[in-house]
Every structure is written in C-alpha cells, then in structure tokens.
Amino acid sequence: MFESRPDRDAEVVLVGRSNVGKSTLMREVTGHTFDTGQRPGVTRSPNHYDWTGPDFMITDLPGFGFMKGVPEEVREEIKTDVVRYVEENAEKILVGILVVDGKSVVDIIDRHSGPDEIPHDVEMFHFLREVGVEPVVAVNKMDKVDDEDERLNDLCDRLGLYPPWKQWQETIAPISAKRGNVSALNEAVRHHLHEAKRDDLFQFF
C-alpha cells in the first residue's frame, strides 16, 4: 500500500494503463521532470507534485493493466493499491484524469470486453464516478490518429457516453502530451475546479 501521502486537502490524480504517457503529461502540466522508467511497471508508488504555497498537489499514480515482464500478481497488487488510494482520498480528489492512448484504446477495450471481463479503462472511468471523483479522460497521442472524431465517438460509446464526443468536452479531452498540446485537458479540468469553487487552482492548468 502507498505510504506517506503529503497532507493536502485538494488533489488531482492521473490514472491509467502503463505506457499511455502519464509521466509525459505530468511533466507537461507541472513543468517538472520525473524519473520515468523505460520499462512498464517501473513506477510502483505515486509521484506527488506538491506546491509549497497552495494546499494542492497533482499525483501520478502507477500504471496498471498488462505490463510485459511483470507477473500478474504484481499487476493486480498495483491496481488494488491505485483503487484503494483513490477510494481513501476521494473527498480530497477534485478531478481524476484517466489517461488513455488515443490510437489503441478502443481496440484494447473491445479486446477485453466479454461476459466475464470489464476493460480496465472502462472500469476505472466508472469507478471514479462511483466514488464521487469527476473523471476527465485525457485521450493522448492524438497526433497519431487520422479519424479523430470517429475515434473519440467510439470511445464515448464504449464508456457509456452518448456520442458525439463534442457534447462531453468537460469529460473527453483529446491531447498530445509529447507535443505540448494539452489545452483541451486544461479546459476540462478548469470546468471541474470551477464547479468545486476552486478557481484559485486555475494557475496550474
């Protein structure tokens, strides 16, 4: 279980599978470089980025899901820790940013959909909602996607949001973290910060 969470009353968390670009996005948002492992599953505990002034931090939670060379029980452990962290701190978490790979997310969801299986990304999206954390899906690597609208509509469909995706701009944010193109995410996060009466945190997004 993750220890030593800084004592902050307001938090934004990043969750998602391994290798979807969470650390790159974290660097883009905070302007701060984190040690990112070349191998998936390297980040085993949360990266907290804590500003000294405001009572606020951004937390990059470890990636979950399939990781090459990582035993299944370790993967399950990581996922359990992530879920528990969000559950325990839900009332302090203003936004949960679910980072997905725009190029492959729909295929991965379809591959893992079955009578006995809920795909991780879909499960995490609904879990955030269930515990009262506003989810924003950061659909990363969109610079590699040709049919952007179609892809985003398909993703909405899989998440149980009625397409077209443009109705959901406070929930679905197409970005390219590597290229520094994260304005859609900033807008979506600000929407939820505003709803939470935390316009003072706009400076971070």
Side-chain angles (χ1 to χ4, degrees):
M1 185 51 198
F2 308 138
E3 301 302 332
S4 72
R5 177 188 181 275
D7 184 20
R8 293 293 187 203
D9 280 334
E11 182 177 8
V12 167
V13 297
L14 276 71
V15 294
R17 295 173 167 278
S18 294
N19 284 1
V20 291
K22 287 202 320 307
S23 302
T24 308
L25 178 56
M26 184 82 166
R27 189 167 63 234
E28 190 55 44
V29 172
T30 61
H32 183 82
T33 304
F34 295 84
D35 288 340
T36 58
Q38 289 311 302
R39 295 192 324 282
V42 170
T43 314
R44 294 278 170 90
S45 56
N47 270 321
H48 300 289
Y49 193 67
D50 192 9
W51 281 269
T52 42
D55 186 11
F56 172 66
M57 66 180 175
I58 295 183
T59 301
D60 177 16
L61 290 167
F64 53 78
F66 176 75
M67 292 172 253
K68 209 174 170 176
V70 178
E72 189 169 350
E73 60 271 20
V74 176
R75 299 202 301 259
E76 281 305 313
E77 230 167 80
I78 293 172
K79 192 172 156 216
T80 303
D81 284 347
V82 168
V83 164
R84 198 175 294 148
Y85 181 93
V86 172
E87 226 161 21
E88 285 175 5
N89 299 297
E91 71 280 3
K92 296 180 175 183
I93 299 173
L94 302 173
V95 181
I97 299 174
L98 171 60
V99 188
V100 300
D101 181 331
K103 204 167 163 57
S104 62
V105 63
V106 174
D107 299 335
I108 290 172
I109 287 174
D110 288 352
R111 200 178 314 141
H112 291 279
S113 296
D116 308 321
E117 197 176 12
I118 301 175
H120 287 318
D121 298 307
V122 175
E123 188 179 28
M124 187 56 73
F125 178 76
H126 292 294
F127 164 70
L128 290 168
R129 283 184 150 181
E130 273 161 34
V131 295
V133 172
E134 291 292 348
V136 171
V137 184
V139 192
N140 196 17
K141 308 185 186 180
M142 286 306 282
D143 51 307
K144 298 179 177 164
V145 172
D146 302 327
D147 46 351
E148 184 167 317
D149 285 338
E150 193 182 325
R151 187 63 55 96
L152 294 169
N153 287 343
D154 285 347
L155 177 59
C156 278
D157 179 59
R158 305 310 190 267
L159 293 173
L161 304 172
Y162 200 68
W165 75 272
K166 288 203 161 112
Q167 302 180 89
W168 302 101
Q169 292 190 36
E170 72 284 0
T171 306
I172 300 287
I175 62 166
S176 170
K178 220 174 198 161
R179 300 204 164 175
N181 178 5
V182 295
S183 55
L185 176 66
N186 290 340
E187 289 292 313
V189 170
R190 284 177 168 209
H191 169 87
H192 296 297
L193 294 177
H194 179 69
E195 296 285 294
K197 299 187 168 45
R198 291 305 304 263
D199 290 16
D200 58 304
L201 300 177
F202 279 15
Q203 57 182 307
F204 303 113
F205 291 96

